[in-house]
């Protein structure tokens, strides 16, 4: 793998959705650039997909006239093309005068370099490769320049999932030739030239194939495209030769890094071993057969963009359950992490589907129920994380053999009942292969399914089951952001998939049906009944007559054939669409499609013709983008280091009480009181503070505090109030009663606590006059939290100047929440003149003191250039800190900017 590129990287070394993978010295890892392409290529983590990608950057390309428009057109074409034969394009954009795009990390060798090393490939292999591209590009209408001018530089050679060598198109460079004359020679003629270079000339070909190729290349009109295709089809069936393996720069980098940092017993072979995993070492660890999975280490790739599920599966080696693929060893070696994964005699579900073709509904139902039961058992483990990501590659069937062909043979011999007999093992962690593929969940689901508890089980199972069952039934990847094709399955089943997809995207918390388990209970051959339609929210008048709505598009044929590498590719194609909400990307529906949202009720999709809120937001966003001069629709959200919009909003936050109303705070208050009281009895009680859950200890302490309170000690009454706040009552009285008793004796903290108990956040008022009097008393005594509460009360009464003065006095005492909230007063001009610079300074002060709300608001200032020079890298840093403290708006901001999530380990 090459060293760092020669061009200067931005100081933050980040492009909004991407994080650079770094070598042991901290330099971004560079990949080979395509021959003659120019620019640099670096390995990055795509925060939207949670997967590795290649970032191509072209310095100064945007300065050339017409190039940005051509770049946009070509990127959009390839972002909508899903095929195993074309490198997936995830995102693209403009950074100053530079253009960049991110595509799939193929880990392959450019075709010119490959041919220079191996000489040529067998004719049958070359014919199969060219036939695939003929079928992919023919009939697609106007093709971009990069396809019309194909050459060997347009391709790279990769190792396919089944172990064979494959050819992939990755030459997205026609845009750079848009101002040069294009010699139109036809797709077949371009592919014929590549074919001749693959086989080393026409002399190595059978006469029938040689004649057809020569006729196409003659350029005299004698070549027939149909004859050329038939020749490729004929040639692809001759012989069973295999092309030599390509060089794999990422794998080679891992191999060399491993040799540098690991012991001699752990060595990755120079070339992949047939039948073994490409990025794993088959070895023995602690006497157990192990796949030693290679992953980027903590120095190479920070962990905050990785799956929390992965962290949970790997943080306690050897403590998995029967149906989990165990981790028996893990070691961080700076640039490399070694994960010792149990090696079993079986094959994964995706490999079997690839070999057998799509499975029938009965088998899919059996698998769904068995996987659901396995997930339920695994989640019931004490301390286990929730499972919401399980691609078919991670479902291992213990067939007794690691050979796919042999396992498939058992199905032929023993029938479909074998699917119920094979034990299951689930891989809950990521491997390098799945890290390259990416997780690919929409941002709304990534955020929505992280909830804990039984209530979200249906959501988690549906998020797992929908793409898994789809791939089992169709042999293709599920696409979250595209409607389910009506003719991919029979209409009723397609409608069920579509209704569940829409419900999960629109409102995952409302989903109550476990798609994974309930699939087996559905009658799979009955036609779908008519769907009720309702028009709501008073929007019908604006939308006009919609007629009868349907869940699915009614085109009789899909735009492209649903072959194995066809339109049903993975969902995470980055097509430059604006992320309308804080955590979600949207794709435009068909022009004639009504606005539809569906509720997933378990039996039938219930449709509502409602104009969803994002529709109006999307229209507004489009108009705003046009107004400010965005000529390129794919760039309406620029992916540069930062984008100043002047749109930062800093609303006065809800009142944040000083401390939590839980047992921990009560114990701290009791401990402080006992220490201050200093008597022999209080010191004896100090030893049992942590045992307040024991009824006898608690009763003895409460009796003592009650006696002190009756003797006139306000602090004892306040502690009784704290104990009551944690448990609901203490010695027969409520927390408010204890606080009122102490407050009437002049205790400022109790005055504040009693006033806080009467605070109505909705009406922004106090419940009674005595609460207000006691609050004024506490604030006058210098109680900082009381002054903040008073500021909120005064703001609710319309006295913004008085509210500002109260908040200013609390800030002068150095109380952290007050410092942050005073910043919102300066930002909005509440009771003072608007001062963005002073607001940003207040946010910074509170953020540096550890206030997560201030971290978020200071990050917004940096992102938007509000009162301070804009800096995307600094904004991202503060947002990550806020998100690590559990601040939800900060997590939303990171998702909206495609910067991933925050792991549970980072929160800790």
């Amino acid at each position: 793998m090459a060293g760092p590129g020669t061009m200067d990287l931005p100081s933050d070394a980040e492009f909004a959705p991407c994080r650079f993978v770094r070598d042991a010295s901290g330099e971004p890892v560079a990949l080979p650039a395509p021959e003659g392409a120019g620019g640099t290529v670096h390995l990055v983590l795509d925060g939207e997909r949670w997967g590795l990608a290649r970032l191509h950057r072209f310095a100064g390309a945007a300065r050339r006239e017409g190039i940005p428009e051509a770049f946009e057109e070509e990127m959009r074409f390839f972002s909508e093309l899903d095929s195993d034969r074309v490198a997936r394009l995830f995102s693209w954009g403009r950074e100053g005068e530079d253009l960049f795009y991110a595509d799939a990390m193929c880990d392959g060798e450019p075709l010119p370099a490959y041919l220079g090393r191996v000489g040529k490939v067998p004719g049958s292999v070359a014919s199969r490769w060219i036939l695939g591209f003929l079928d992919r590009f023919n009939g697609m209408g106007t093709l971009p320049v990069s396809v019309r001018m194909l050459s060997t530089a347009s391709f790279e050679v990769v190792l396919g999932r089944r172990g064979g060598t494959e050819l992939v198109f990755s030459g997205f460079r026609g845009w750079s030739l848009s101002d040069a004359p294009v010699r139109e020679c036809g797709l077949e003629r371009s592919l014929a030239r590549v074919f001749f270079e693959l086989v080393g000339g026409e002399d190595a070909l059978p006469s029938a194939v040689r004649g057809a190729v020569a006729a196409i290349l003659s350029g005299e009109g004698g070549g027939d495209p149909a004859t050329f295709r038939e020749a490729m089809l004929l040639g692809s069936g001759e012989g069973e030769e295999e092309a030599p393996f390509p060089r794999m720069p990422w794998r080679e980098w891992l191999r060399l890094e491993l040799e540098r940092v690991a012991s001699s017993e752990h060595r990755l072979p120079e070339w992949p071993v047939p039948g073994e995993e490409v990025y794993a070492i088959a070895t023995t660890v602690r006497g157990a057969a192990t796949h030693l999975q290679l992953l980027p280490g903590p120095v190479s790739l920070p962990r905050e963009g990785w799956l929390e599920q992965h962290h949970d599966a790997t943080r306690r080696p050897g403590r998995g359950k029967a149906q989990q693929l165990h981790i028996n060893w893990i070691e961080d070696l700076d640039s490399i992490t070694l994960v010792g994964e149990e090696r079993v005699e079986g094959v994964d579900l995706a490999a079997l589907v690839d070999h057998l073709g799509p499975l029938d509904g009965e088998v899919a139902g059996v698998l769904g129920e068995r996987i659901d039961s396995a997930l339920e058992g695994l989640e019931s483990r004490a301390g286990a994380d929730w499972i919401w990501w399980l691609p078919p590659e991670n479902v291992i069937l213990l067939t007794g053999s690691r050979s796919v062909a042999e396992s498939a043979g058992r199905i032929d011999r023993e029938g479909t009942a074998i699917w119920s007999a094979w034990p299951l093992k689930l891989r809950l962690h990521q491997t390098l292969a799945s890290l390259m593929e990416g997780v690919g969940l929409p941002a709304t689901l990534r955020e929505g399914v992280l909830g804990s508890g039984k209530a979200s089980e249906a959501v988690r199972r549906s998020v797992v089951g929908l793409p898994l069952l789809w791939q089992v039934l169709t042999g293709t990847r599920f696409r979250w952001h595209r409607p389910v094709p009506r003719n991919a399955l029979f209409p009723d089943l397609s409608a069920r998939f579509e209704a569940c997809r829409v419900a999960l995207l629109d409102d995952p918390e409302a989903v109550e049906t476990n798609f994974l388990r309930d699939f087996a209970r559905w009658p799979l051959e009955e036609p779908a009944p008519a769907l009720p339609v309702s028009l709501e929210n008073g929007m019908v008048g604006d939308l006009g007559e919609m007629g009868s709505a349907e869940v699915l598009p009614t085109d009789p044929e899909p735009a492209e054939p649903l072959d194995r590498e066809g339109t049903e590719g993975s969902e995470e194609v980055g097509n430059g669409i604006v992320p309308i909400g804080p955590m979600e990307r949207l794709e435009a529906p068909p022009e004639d499609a009504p606005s539809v949202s569906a509720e997933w009720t378990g039996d039938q999709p219930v449709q509502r013709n409602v104009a969803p809120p994002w529709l109006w937001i999307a229209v507004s966003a489009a108009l705003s983008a046009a107004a400010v001069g965005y000529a390129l629709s794919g760039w309406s959200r620029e992916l540069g280091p930062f984008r100043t919009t002047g749109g930062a909003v800093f609303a006065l936050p809800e009142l944040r009480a000083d401390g939590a109303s839980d047992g921990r705070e009560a114990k701290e208050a009791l401990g402080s009181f006992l220490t201050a009281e200093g008597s022999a009895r209080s010191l004896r009680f100090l030893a049992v503070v942590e045992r307040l859950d024991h009824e006898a200890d608690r009763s003895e302490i409460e009796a003592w505090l009650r006696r002190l309170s009756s003797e006139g000690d306000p602090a004892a009454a306040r502690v009784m109030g704290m104990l009551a706040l944690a448990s609901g009552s203490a010695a027969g009285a409520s927390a408010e009663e204890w606080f009122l008793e102490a407050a009437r004796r002049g205790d400022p903290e109790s005055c504040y606590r009693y006033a806080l108990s009467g605070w109505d956040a909705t009406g922004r008022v106090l419940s009674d006059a005595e609460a207000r009097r006691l609050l004024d008393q506490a604030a006058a005594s210098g109680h900082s939290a009381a002054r903040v509460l008073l500021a909120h009360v005064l703001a609710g009464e319309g006295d913004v100047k008085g509210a500002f003065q109260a908040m200013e006095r609390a800030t002068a005492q150095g109380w952290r929440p007050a410092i942050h909230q005073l910043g919102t007063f300066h930002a909005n001009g509440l009771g003072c003149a608007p001062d963005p610079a002073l607001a940003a300074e207040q946010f910074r002060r509170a953020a540096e003191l550890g206030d997560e709300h201030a971290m978020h608001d200071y990050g917004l200032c940096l992102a938007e250039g509000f009162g301070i020079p804009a800096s995307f890298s600094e904004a991202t840093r503060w947002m990550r800190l806020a998100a690590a403290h559990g601040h939800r708006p900060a997590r939303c901001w990171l998702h909206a900017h495609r910067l991933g999530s925050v792991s549970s380990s980072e929160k800790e």
Side-chain angles (χ1 to χ4, degrees), residues 517-539:
R517 178 171 291 276
D518 287 0
F519 175 86
R521 302 191 178 105
W522 295 333
L524 299 180
E525 296 180 357
E526 296 179 5
L531 303 178
V533 176
S534 63
L535 304 178
E536 301 177 7
N537 293 355
M539 295 185 180

mmCIF file of all heavy atoms in Angstrom, residues 517-539:
data_model
loop_
_atom_site.group_PDB
_atom_site.id
_atom_site.type_symbol
_atom_site.label_atom_id
_atom_site.label_comp_id
_atom_site.label_asym_id
_atom_site.label_seq_id
_atom_site.Cartn_x
_atom_site.Cartn_y
_atom_site.Cartn_z
ATOM 1 N N ARG A 517 -40.687 -13.013 13.021
ATOM 2 C CA ARG A 517 -41.415 -14.202 13.469
ATOM 3 C C ARG A 517 -42.756 -14.362 12.758
ATOM 4 O O ARG A 517 -43.149 -15.473 12.386
ATOM 5 C CB ARG A 517 -41.650 -14.143 14.989
ATOM 6 C CG ARG A 517 -42.448 -15.315 15.546
ATOM 7 C CD ARG A 517 -42.472 -15.317 17.056
ATOM 8 N NE ARG A 517 -41.161 -15.628 17.617
ATOM 9 C CZ ARG A 517 -40.714 -16.878 17.795
ATOM 10 N NH1 ARG A 517 -41.466 -17.907 17.442
ATOM 11 N NH2 ARG A 517 -39.529 -17.086 18.307
ATOM 12 N N ASP A 518 -43.477 -13.264 12.546
ATOM 13 C CA ASP A 518 -44.823 -13.365 11.985
ATOM 14 C C ASP A 518 -44.841 -13.729 10.514
ATOM 15 O O ASP A 518 -45.877 -14.140 9.994
ATOM 16 C CB ASP A 518 -45.571 -12.044 12.183
ATOM 17 C CG ASP A 518 -45.986 -11.845 13.636
ATOM 18 O OD1 ASP A 518 -45.677 -12.736 14.449
ATOM 19 O OD2 ASP A 518 -46.599 -10.816 13.946
ATOM 20 N N PHE A 519 -43.705 -13.593 9.852
ATOM 21 C CA PHE A 519 -43.655 -13.943 8.428
ATOM 22 C C PHE A 519 -44.125 -15.378 8.201
ATOM 23 O O PHE A 519 -44.844 -15.663 7.237
ATOM 24 C CB PHE A 519 -42.219 -13.771 7.911
ATOM 25 C CG PHE A 519 -42.028 -14.208 6.489
ATOM 26 C CD1 PHE A 519 -42.281 -13.331 5.437
ATOM 27 C CD2 PHE A 519 -41.614 -15.494 6.175
ATOM 28 C CE1 PHE A 519 -42.120 -13.735 4.119
ATOM 29 C CE2 PHE A 519 -41.449 -15.908 4.871
ATOM 30 C CZ PHE A 519 -41.702 -15.021 3.833
ATOM 31 N N ALA A 520 -43.748 -16.304 9.072
ATOM 32 C CA ALA A 520 -44.101 -17.721 8.883
ATOM 33 C C ALA A 520 -45.591 -17.973 9.032
ATOM 34 O O ALA A 520 -46.087 -19.009 8.580
ATOM 35 C CB ALA A 520 -43.333 -18.580 9.892
ATOM 36 N N ARG A 521 -46.331 -17.043 9.622
ATOM 37 C CA ARG A 521 -47.752 -17.274 9.888
ATOM 38 C C ARG A 521 -48.651 -16.724 8.785
ATOM 39 O O ARG A 521 -49.862 -16.893 8.835
ATOM 40 C CB ARG A 521 -48.138 -16.627 11.224
ATOM 41 C CG ARG A 521 -47.315 -17.139 12.396
ATOM 42 C CD ARG A 521 -47.899 -16.669 13.723
ATOM 43 N NE ARG A 521 -47.131 -17.203 14.837
ATOM 44 C CZ ARG A 521 -46.283 -16.480 15.554
ATOM 45 N NH1 ARG A 521 -46.115 -15.203 15.264
ATOM 46 N NH2 ARG A 521 -45.616 -17.020 16.547
ATOM 47 N N TRP A 522 -48.084 -16.034 7.820
ATOM 48 C CA TRP A 522 -48.917 -15.403 6.799
ATOM 49 C C TRP A 522 -49.292 -16.384 5.705
ATOM 50 O O TRP A 522 -48.463 -17.204 5.289
ATOM 51 C CB TRP A 522 -48.198 -14.228 6.156
ATOM 52 C CG TRP A 522 -47.945 -13.102 7.100
ATOM 53 C CD1 TRP A 522 -48.656 -12.781 8.198
ATOM 54 C CD2 TRP A 522 -46.873 -12.167 7.016
ATOM 55 N NE1 TRP A 522 -48.119 -11.699 8.818
ATOM 56 C CE2 TRP A 522 -47.019 -11.288 8.112
ATOM 57 C CE3 TRP A 522 -45.829 -11.960 6.134
ATOM 58 C CZ2 TRP A 522 -46.152 -10.248 8.334
ATOM 59 C CZ3 TRP A 522 -44.960 -10.920 6.354
ATOM 60 C CH2 TRP A 522 -45.121 -10.069 7.453
ATOM 61 N N PRO A 523 -50.510 -16.314 5.191
ATOM 62 C CA PRO A 523 -50.846 -17.067 3.972
ATOM 63 C C PRO A 523 -50.163 -16.395 2.791
ATOM 64 O O PRO A 523 -50.440 -15.245 2.460
ATOM 65 C CB PRO A 523 -52.375 -16.953 3.899
ATOM 66 C CG PRO A 523 -52.693 -15.693 4.658
ATOM 67 C CD PRO A 523 -51.654 -15.551 5.733
ATOM 68 N N LEU A 524 -49.228 -17.088 2.151
ATOM 69 C CA LEU A 524 -48.366 -16.454 1.167
ATOM 70 C C LEU A 524 -48.906 -16.536 -0.254
ATOM 71 O O LEU A 524 -48.220 -16.156 -1.187
ATOM 72 C CB LEU A 524 -46.965 -17.086 1.222
ATOM 73 C CG LEU A 524 -46.248 -16.940 2.569
ATOM 74 C CD1 LEU A 524 -44.892 -17.604 2.518
ATOM 75 C CD2 LEU A 524 -46.121 -15.481 2.946
ATOM 76 N N GLU A 525 -50.121 -17.032 -0.439
ATOM 77 C CA GLU A 525 -50.627 -17.139 -1.803
ATOM 78 C C GLU A 525 -51.972 -16.458 -1.981
ATOM 79 O O GLU A 525 -52.528 -16.467 -3.064
ATOM 80 C CB GLU A 525 -50.742 -18.614 -2.198
ATOM 81 C CG GLU A 525 -49.385 -19.316 -2.223
ATOM 82 C CD GLU A 525 -49.507 -20.773 -2.616
ATOM 83 O OE1 GLU A 525 -50.659 -21.218 -2.800
ATOM 84 O OE2 GLU A 525 -48.479 -21.447 -2.744
ATOM 85 N N GLU A 526 -52.540 -15.888 -0.934
ATOM 86 C CA GLU A 526 -53.820 -15.203 -1.076
ATOM 87 C C GLU A 526 -53.604 -13.786 -1.579
ATOM 88 O O GLU A 526 -52.657 -13.121 -1.171
ATOM 89 C CB GLU A 526 -54.542 -15.166 0.273
ATOM 90 C CG GLU A 526 -54.903 -16.546 0.797
ATOM 91 C CD GLU A 526 -55.583 -16.452 2.139
ATOM 92 O OE1 GLU A 526 -55.842 -15.313 2.587
ATOM 93 O OE2 GLU A 526 -55.864 -17.499 2.738
ATOM 94 N N PRO A 527 -54.474 -13.292 -2.451
ATOM 95 C CA PRO A 527 -54.318 -11.908 -2.915
ATOM 96 C C PRO A 527 -54.592 -10.936 -1.783
ATOM 97 O O PRO A 527 -55.368 -11.200 -0.885
ATOM 98 C CB PRO A 527 -55.375 -11.786 -4.020
ATOM 99 C CG PRO A 527 -56.395 -12.820 -3.667
ATOM 100 C CD PRO A 527 -55.630 -13.964 -3.046
ATOM 101 N N ALA A 528 -53.909 -9.808 -1.851
ATOM 102 C CA ALA A 528 -54.101 -8.781 -0.817
ATOM 103 C C ALA A 528 -55.480 -8.161 -0.957
ATOM 104 O O ALA A 528 -55.914 -7.832 -2.053
ATOM 105 C CB ALA A 528 -53.032 -7.712 -0.959
ATOM 106 N N PRO A 529 -56.220 -8.006 0.137
ATOM 107 C CA PRO A 529 -57.523 -7.343 0.063
ATOM 108 C C PRO A 529 -57.358 -5.862 -0.212
ATOM 109 O O PRO A 529 -56.277 -5.302 -0.105
ATOM 110 C CB PRO A 529 -58.101 -7.580 1.463
ATOM 111 C CG PRO A 529 -56.906 -7.728 2.342
ATOM 112 C CD PRO A 529 -55.867 -8.416 1.490
ATOM 113 N N ALA A 530 -58.495 -5.245 -0.596
ATOM 114 C CA ALA A 530 -58.448 -3.806 -0.849
ATOM 115 C C ALA A 530 -58.054 -3.070 0.407
ATOM 116 O O ALA A 530 -58.442 -3.443 1.515
ATOM 117 C CB ALA A 530 -59.820 -3.329 -1.340
ATOM 118 N N LEU A 531 -57.279 -2.018 0.243
ATOM 119 C CA LEU A 531 -56.767 -1.269 1.377
ATOM 120 C C LEU A 531 -57.625 -0.045 1.617
ATOM 121 O O LEU A 531 -57.924 0.701 0.689
ATOM 122 C CB LEU A 531 -55.318 -0.849 1.124
ATOM 123 C CG LEU A 531 -54.361 -2.003 0.819
ATOM 124 C CD1 LEU A 531 -52.983 -1.445 0.553
ATOM 125 C CD2 LEU A 531 -54.320 -2.968 1.985
ATOM 126 N N PRO A 532 -58.045 0.200 2.880
ATOM 127 C CA PRO A 532 -58.825 1.401 3.165
ATOM 128 C C PRO A 532 -57.973 2.643 2.999
ATOM 129 O O PRO A 532 -56.786 2.625 3.249
ATOM 130 C CB PRO A 532 -59.234 1.207 4.634
ATOM 131 C CG PRO A 532 -58.198 0.296 5.203
ATOM 132 C CD PRO A 532 -57.788 -0.612 4.075
ATOM 133 N N VAL A 533 -58.600 3.710 2.565
ATOM 134 C CA VAL A 533 -57.908 4.970 2.328
ATOM 135 C C VAL A 533 -58.579 6.049 3.155
ATOM 136 O O VAL A 533 -59.793 6.127 3.217
ATOM 137 C CB VAL A 533 -57.947 5.363 0.836
ATOM 138 C CG1 VAL A 533 -57.308 6.723 0.617
ATOM 139 C CG2 VAL A 533 -57.272 4.303 0.001
ATOM 140 N N SER A 534 -57.802 6.856 3.807
ATOM 141 C CA SER A 534 -58.348 7.990 4.544
ATOM 142 C C SER A 534 -57.543 9.217 4.232
ATOM 143 O O SER A 534 -56.352 9.134 3.983
ATOM 144 C CB SER A 534 -58.320 7.720 6.053
ATOM 145 O OG SER A 534 -56.997 7.573 6.502
ATOM 146 N N LEU A 535 -58.192 10.349 4.201
ATOM 147 C CA LEU A 535 -57.523 11.617 3.941
ATOM 148 C C LEU A 535 -57.610 12.433 5.212
ATOM 149 O O LEU A 535 -58.684 12.617 5.773
ATOM 150 C CB LEU A 535 -58.210 12.349 2.786
ATOM 151 C CG LEU A 535 -58.316 11.551 1.485
ATOM 152 C CD1 LEU A 535 -59.048 12.368 0.436
ATOM 153 C CD2 LEU A 535 -56.955 11.142 0.984
ATOM 154 N N GLU A 536 -56.434 12.898 5.677
ATOM 155 C CA GLU A 536 -56.395 13.535 6.983
ATOM 156 C C GLU A 536 -55.656 14.859 6.924
ATOM 157 O O GLU A 536 -55.099 15.248 5.918
ATOM 158 C CB GLU A 536 -55.684 12.613 7.992
ATOM 159 C CG GLU A 536 -56.356 11.261 8.146
ATOM 160 C CD GLU A 536 -55.575 10.374 9.104
ATOM 161 O OE1 GLU A 536 -54.620 10.854 9.712
ATOM 162 O OE2 GLU A 536 -55.927 9.201 9.231
ATOM 163 N N ASN A 537 -55.667 15.513 8.109
ATOM 164 C CA ASN A 537 -54.869 16.703 8.368
ATOM 165 C C ASN A 537 -55.245 17.907 7.528
ATOM 166 O O ASN A 537 -54.515 18.889 7.473
ATOM 167 C CB ASN A 537 -53.368 16.415 8.175
ATOM 168 C CG ASN A 537 -52.843 15.460 9.218
ATOM 169 O OD1 ASN A 537 -53.578 15.085 10.140
ATOM 170 N ND2 ASN A 537 -51.593 15.084 9.108
ATOM 171 N N GLY A 538 -56.359 17.837 6.816
ATOM 172 C CA GLY A 538 -56.804 18.998 6.066
ATOM 173 C C GLY A 538 -55.915 19.380 4.915
ATOM 174 O O GLY A 538 -55.951 20.514 4.447
ATOM 175 N N MET A 539 -55.091 18.449 4.393
ATOM 176 C CA MET A 539 -54.158 18.787 3.330
ATOM 177 C C MET A 539 -54.667 18.403 1.952
ATOM 178 O O MET A 539 -54.010 18.635 0.967
ATOM 179 C CB MET A 539 -52.807 18.099 3.574
ATOM 180 C CG MET A 539 -52.102 18.595 4.826
ATOM 181 S SD MET A 539 -50.470 17.880 5.001
ATOM 182 C CE MET A 539 -49.939 18.642 6.532
#
